[in-house]
Amino acid sequence: MTIPPDTPLETSGERIEDVDVSAEMQGSFLEYAYSVIYSRALPDARDGLKPVQRRILYQMTEMGLRPDRGHVKSSRVVGDVMGKLHPHGDASIYDAMVRLTQDFILRVPLVDGHGNFGSLDDGPAAPRYTEVRLDAAALAMTDGLDEDVVDLVPNYDNQFTQPSVLPAAFPNLLVNGASGIAVGMATNMAPHNLIEVIGAARHLIDNPDATLDDLMAFVPGPDLPTGGTISGLAGIRDAYATGRGAFRTRAKVAVEAISPRKSGLVVTELPYLVGPEKVIEKIKDGVTSKKLNGISDVTDLTDRKHGLRLVIGIKTGFSPDAVLDQLYRFTPLEDSFNINNVALVNGGPRTLGLKELLQVYVDHRLQVVTRRSQFRLARRRERLHLVAGLLIAILDIDEVIQVIRTSDDSEQARTRLTEVFELDSIQAEYILELRLRRLTRFSRIELEAERDKLRAEIEELEAILSDPERIRRVVSTELEEIAERFGTPRRTLLTEARPSIATASSRRDAPVLEIADAPCRVILSTTGRAIRVDLAEELADAPSAVRRRSKHDAIRATLVTTTRGELGAITSRGRLVRFSPVDLPSVPENSIQLAAGVKIADYVALGAGEMVVGLVSLTSDEPFALGTKQGIVKRVAAAGLPGKPEFEVIALKAGDAVIGARQAPETSELVFVSSDAQLLHFSAGAVRPQGASAGGMAGINLGSGAEVIFFDALPAAADVVVATISGSSATIPGTDPGRAKVSALSEFPGKGRATGGVRAHSFLKGEDRLELAWAGAAPALAVGPDGAARTLPEAGARRDASGSPLDAVVGSIGTSL
């Protein structure tokens, strides 16, 4: 008997069907590929996490492994995650958790590990030997999960739920980057600086039509956890525009004397994902194969206290620069990084540029804040409903008790309460569960206060939900708070450094590609933000041409220099920290905006309570002057300063601090203003320049209990004005606006150095000190503690006038561009 080929066969109750192997393989492969892409390899563009990472953070949150609690064994976390959320093996879970702890991989680690979690050259210890808990930043990623801000989905066996995405209080995908290999696609994203990324996100919130150039003013390039130097900024721009690009990273290397007769190359920062052992191995291989010449030895002096320190000895007679060129060519001291920004958007993979990545995150946060506000509004309305019922019951508590006592059961009591007191069933049930100790007069006061508070919160939440612009402001404010909490200074230097010899073929005369040493203006605002303004050659000496097209807040200092000039930031502790304008984000001269600036503290390492009080040029022939809180003045010539990256520029006495600093030629006027309203100005020529180790000389004689609140070196110009704001030491700072006046500096007679000055402000009853003082080129520009503009009186007041009342508190005063 012949059976047709399409006839299904049945054998012992089994059904056998012919299938097309090609179609079956294609369908199965596509299903497998989708599973790998969606459930394993690619991060979500909203929270920047792969599913296993998200499940680890969520489960650790459920376990209560907060930063203020003790560590637990990694094996316990791995077991809980595998058993409840991620049934794919303990090795993959532990590997993902290890990555979340490694500060040389992530810019902001999310898990706090205790034990050996490996290095770039070695793997971690087994999970039974290590311990973990959540890092503080992880709490920001999971904050709000109990307020219905994201959807919860079932786990693999429908016994538990898990978030489909985390609320993510900061743009984790850009900040920490990602890497993964899926089927037919891969992702490789570089880490960035948290402060810069949040600055770009806030700018996009305020300006939805922002261009890529606008955003790159905030995010000029990646900021790698291991520091180093990045070249190839054109590749970075391509990546930000299209999602694909490349750049090269170099180690940070310095030439130092390692013995009286021997110099060496000291490596303190390596390219991203490159470990010291790999570098040492490549150097040894290069020396053995004769590719590297002039190297005598390599010593790894890395330790936990001093960090990375790799010392490469140079043989006598060899140029360190020539040896370094060979090292860049043949070893991982120079490496490349290919950017491929592939992430999941709405469940599908997409290649995203910088603006798209930020937009997806901003949209996510807007939705999170909206859902959180709706949740809080509903809960507060529910609570207000119960409080209103309690207040009704307390006002006539005797009758309430009588109704309950005379009822046969709780059901009848609930019904009678609703009838007698016009309550609903929810309020009646809540009253039935009321404890007797709540029936006090104090409890009534508490309930009335809670009612008023709930009404105010409901009104605020309703206002937020009714105005999309307010929701955007809430998101922007919360992002700023996150930047304050977790932001750190930039570690990676961005520059168009000379390319690797390997990329310049064999030509020794390859062109040098560098950022042009063009004219620029460095601006420091009174709020501590700095920016580099690239000027056209013809505008370098014409600041007025820039002023007509500039937008900025009050300015503390501005310097005309060049892109690769050398500047010094003078701090309140008397330190000078060298830096170059090339490190600062730049904007064209016709589009200056404060929003594009960055906090100067992100580029100049400062201690707790330390601030930058002035900027000086270290290439100028003019000395600079600085004044202190205790009335000391000092002029310093830049030519004789040490060549160190940072050093003390004045020997301060105990309790003293630097108030201001500026370039001070002989013809300038040094101005002191004290808290007891005394102003002294005298010629800078009266102060001879001193060395960095000197302690300065007497500038102004201070009265008992007084201190200097303002110092500056000003040109002898007719448009210089003095602004003063009086107040009382008995009031809480920042609560009383005080009285302000603006006078011309010419109204104040000059006196000699080390004298007491003249009266600068008359105090009225209740006033006993100057809260704020400033002198500079008119007009004076005031801003509040919130950065908003404040209005000062018109200039022209007598020098000893008492001023006019202010409408709002002034936080700082400066000049405008």
Side-chain angles (χ1 to χ4, degrees):
M1 182 179 66
T2 303
I3 301 176
D6 295 334
T7 303
L9 301 179
E10 295 187 7
T11 306
S12 303
E14 295 182 357
R15 182 180 179 87
I16 301 175
E17 295 183 2
D18 289 336
V19 296
D20 186 345
V21 175
S22 176
E24 180 67 21
M25 289 295 293
Q26 183 178 8
S28 299
F29 181 79
L30 288 175
E31 184 178 348
Y32 164 75
Y34 178 79
S35 176
V36 171
I37 291 170
Y38 181 76
S39 302
R40 188 182 308 174
L42 298 184
D44 193 296
R46 294 169 292 178
D47 61 6
L49 297 172
K50 300 177 184 179
V52 63
Q53 296 170 329
R54 186 179 305 115
R55 290 164 181 167
I56 289 171
L57 296 180
Y58 174 67
Q59 189 59 37
M60 291 180 71
T61 303
E62 292 292 292
M63 295 170 67
L65 303 182
R66 299 173 55 86
D68 55 351
R69 299 181 182 178
H71 296 78
V72 302
K73 286 291 184 182
S74 299
S75 295
R76 178 181 168 189
V77 176
V78 171
D80 275 21
V81 172
M82 180 171 60
K84 295 181 178 180
L85 305 175
H86 194 77
H88 296 292
D90 57 339
S92 62
I93 298 173
Y94 185 58
D95 288 345
M97 187 167 64
V98 166
R99 188 181 188 276
L100 294 176
T101 69
Q102 294 175 331
D103 57 3
F104 51 86
I105 299 293
L106 303 185
R107 194 61 180 81
V108 180
L110 300 176
V111 174
D112 177 16
H114 180 66
N116 177 16
F117 280 88
S119 67
L120 288 167
D121 296 307
D122 299 307
R128 62 182 179 274
Y129 298 121
T130 60
E131 299 176 342
V132 291
R133 64 182 177 190
L134 289 173
D135 206 302
L139 296 184
M141 292 290 294
T142 59
D143 184 42
L145 282 176
D146 57 344
E147 295 182 294
D148 191 36
V149 294
V150 295
D151 293 333
L152 296 179
V153 297
N155 71 330
Y156 64 93
D157 61 359
N158 294 319
Q159 293 190 21
F160 303 97
T161 59
Q162 59 184 332
S164 58
V165 64
L166 294 186
F170 62 89
N172 178 62
L173 185 57
L174 275 167
V175 171
N176 281 326
S179 63
I181 300 175
V183 178
M185 62 184 66
T187 185
N188 198 35
M189 304 180 66
H192 290 76
N193 186 274
L194 174 68
I195 297 174
E196 296 175 355
V197 171
I198 285 182
R202 296 184 67 207
H203 184 71
L204 186 60
I205 291 173
D206 296 335
N207 305 276
D209 296 328
T211 65
L212 179 61
D213 289 335
D214 295 335
L215 298 177
M216 286 190 66
F218 297 90
V219 187
D223 185 22
L224 308 175
T226 52
T229 301
I230 287 180
S231 60
L233 301 187
I236 293 175
R237 180 180 175 81
D238 290 342
Y240 288 166
T242 66
R244 297 178 185 272
F247 60 87
R248 302 193 70 80
T249 60
R250 278 187 170 184
K252 184 177 180 180
V253 186
V255 180
E256 296 184 10
I258 57 179
S259 70
R261 297 184 179 181
K262 187 177 181 181
S263 62
L265 300 173
V266 179
V267 182
T268 54
E269 295 176 2
L270 287 174
Y272 188 45
L273 303 180
V274 174
E277 291 186 10
K278 181 179 180 181
V279 174
I280 293 174
E281 181 182 354
K282 289 294 184 180
I283 291 176
K284 291 180 178 178
D285 291 344
V287 171
T288 302
S289 62
K290 307 294 185 180
K291 290 182 179 179
L292 297 176
N293 299 312
I295 297 177
S296 61
D297 57 83
V298 182
T299 307
D300 188 1
L301 301 179
T302 303
D303 57 32
R304 291 187 176 181
K305 182 178 180 180
H306 300 94
L308 176 70
R309 186 173 176 84
L310 196 62
V311 180
I312 304 171
I314 306 298
K315 293 180 180 180
T316 303
F318 284 84
S319 168
D321 290 337
V323 174
L324 183 58
D325 282 342
Q326 296 181 50
L327 289 170
Y328 283 148
R329 182 179 180 183
F330 295 112
T331 73
L333 288 183
E334 181 178 81
D335 201 5
S336 62
F337 188 96
N338 296 315
I339 298 176
N340 188 22
N341 295 336
V342 179
L344 296 175
V345 179
N346 297 325
R350 280 182 55 190
T351 302
L352 305 170
L354 177 62
K355 183 174 182 179
E356 289 80 10
L357 285 168
L358 289 170
Q359 190 64 62
V360 170
Y361 172 77
V362 167
D363 292 342
H364 173 57
R365 282 304 296 178
L366 291 173
Q367 184 180 23
V368 166
V369 171
T370 300
R371 292 182 58 164
R372 185 185 66 194
S373 300
Q374 292 170 343
F375 178 87
R376 291 177 178 177
L377 179 60
R379 293 299 175 268
R380 279 153 181 75
R381 284 174 173 169
E382 293 172 2
R383 179 59 186 169
L384 180 60
H385 184 64
L386 295 177
V387 169
L390 284 177
L391 284 172
I392 293 174
I394 288 178
L395 287 175
D396 203 356
I397 190 62
D398 293 334
E399 187 174 354
V400 170
I401 294 175
Q402 183 65 25
V403 168
I404 296 174
R405 291 185 63 185
T406 57
S407 299
D408 295 334
D409 51 33
S410 60
E411 184 63 33
Q412 184 183 24
R414 181 166 50 252
T415 303
R416 293 180 62 192
L417 284 174
T418 59
E419 294 173 351
V420 174
F421 297 98
E422 297 183 356
L423 303 173
D424 59 25
S425 58
I426 297 176
Q427 291 173 318
E429 182 66 29
Y430 193 70
I431 291 171
L432 286 174
E433 297 176 356
L434 187 68
R435 295 186 179 184
L436 292 177
R437 65 182 181 185
R438 296 292 306 274
L439 305 181
T440 62
R441 181 177 301 173
F442 185 69
S443 177
R444 176 183 171 183
I445 296 174
E446 287 180 339
L447 286 172
E448 290 176 342
E450 184 181 1
R451 177 195 60 194
D452 296 340
K453 180 181 178 183
L454 287 170
R455 286 175 176 173
E457 291 177 348
I458 289 172
E459 183 179 356
E460 175 68 16
L461 289 169
E462 288 176 341
I464 290 175
L465 289 171
S466 63
D467 186 0
E469 185 59 32
R470 290 197 62 174
I471 295 178
R472 301 177 77 87
R473 288 203 301 268
V474 170
V475 173
S476 180
T477 301
E478 291 179 353
L479 283 172
E480 184 178 25
E481 293 172 355
I482 291 293
E484 292 284 347
R485 288 176 58 195
F486 303 114
T488 55
R490 167 172 278 276
R491 300 175 186 173
T492 302
L493 176 65
L494 301 175
T495 177
E496 287 287 1
R498 183 175 54 185
S500 168
I501 296 175
T503 64
S505 303
S506 58
R507 295 189 303 146
R508 303 301 298 180
D509 58 346
V512 177
L513 301 178
E514 296 183 341
I515 294 177
D517 195 18
C520 70
R521 183 182 299 276
V522 176
I523 301 170
L524 176 65
S525 74
T526 57
T527 55
R529 304 187 77 88
I531 196 171
R532 185 183 89 229
V533 183
D534 295 329
L535 305 177
E537 291 285 351
E538 62 272 15
L539 294 180
D541 296 321
S544 61
V546 182
R547 294 176 188 169
R548 294 193 294 269
R549 301 194 298 270
S550 301
K551 297 179 181 179
H552 214 278
D553 75 338
I555 303 303
R556 177 188 292 273
T558 177
L559 278 177
V560 175
T561 179
T562 60
T563 308
R564 293 187 173 275
E566 190 173 27
L567 303 183
I570 308 296
T571 76
S572 55
R573 293 184 181 175
R575 295 191 307 131
L576 185 149
V577 183
R578 295 177 184 268
F579 73 101
S580 174
V582 74
D583 298 338
L584 297 174
S586 65
V587 296
E589 76 273 12
N590 59 355
S591 61
I592 306 174
Q593 295 180 0
L594 170 64
V598 295
K599 291 185 178 180
I600 189 65
D602 298 339
Y603 287 82
V604 177
L606 300 177
E610 189 176 16
M611 62 179 293
V612 175
V613 298
L615 302 177
V616 297
S617 173
L618 301 182
T619 57
S620 173
D621 295 332
E622 298 175 348
F624 59 87
L626 49 85
T628 75
K629 184 169 66 172
Q630 295 179 0
I632 300 299
V633 65
K634 181 179 180 181
R635 286 177 77 215
V636 184
L641 294 177
K644 300 177 182 178
E646 57 182 74
F647 53 88
E648 288 188 357
V649 76
I650 182 174
L652 292 174
K653 296 180 180 179
D656 203 1
V658 177
I659 298 298
R662 191 187 293 267
Q663 230 77 37
E666 298 281 332
T667 57
S668 62
E669 287 285 303
L670 304 184
V671 181
F672 283 93
V673 183
S674 63
S675 59
D676 58 352
Q678 295 295 309
L679 184 147
L680 174 66
H681 68 93
F682 52 87
S683 173
V687 182
R688 60 178 177 82
Q690 296 178 306
S693 61
M697 58 186 71
I700 181 174
N701 288 341
L702 297 172
S704 176
E707 63 183 24
V708 174
I709 62 173
F710 174 81
F711 170 83
D712 208 344
L714 303 174
D719 63 344
V720 174
V721 296
V722 178
T724 52
I725 299 179
S726 59
S728 172
S729 57
T731 61
I732 300 174
T735 58
D736 182 12
R739 303 175 67 87
K741 75 173 184 68
V742 180
S743 308
L745 182 62
S746 58
E747 291 284 324
F748 299 82
K751 299 182 69 175
R753 182 183 63 82
T755 59
V758 297
R759 171 66 60 180
H761 197 114
S762 293
F763 295 139
L764 297 182
K765 185 178 180 180
E767 298 177 339
D768 60 359
R769 64 176 281 118
L770 286 184
E771 298 292 346
L772 203 60
W774 175 85
L781 185 61
V783 295
D786 58 352
R790 298 285 189 264
T791 302
L792 291 174
E794 293 292 333
R798 300 192 327 271
R799 68 172 178 84
D800 58 349
S802 58
S804 306
L806 289 172
D807 296 331
V809 175
V810 173
S812 60
I813 307 175
T815 188
S816 60
L817 284 176

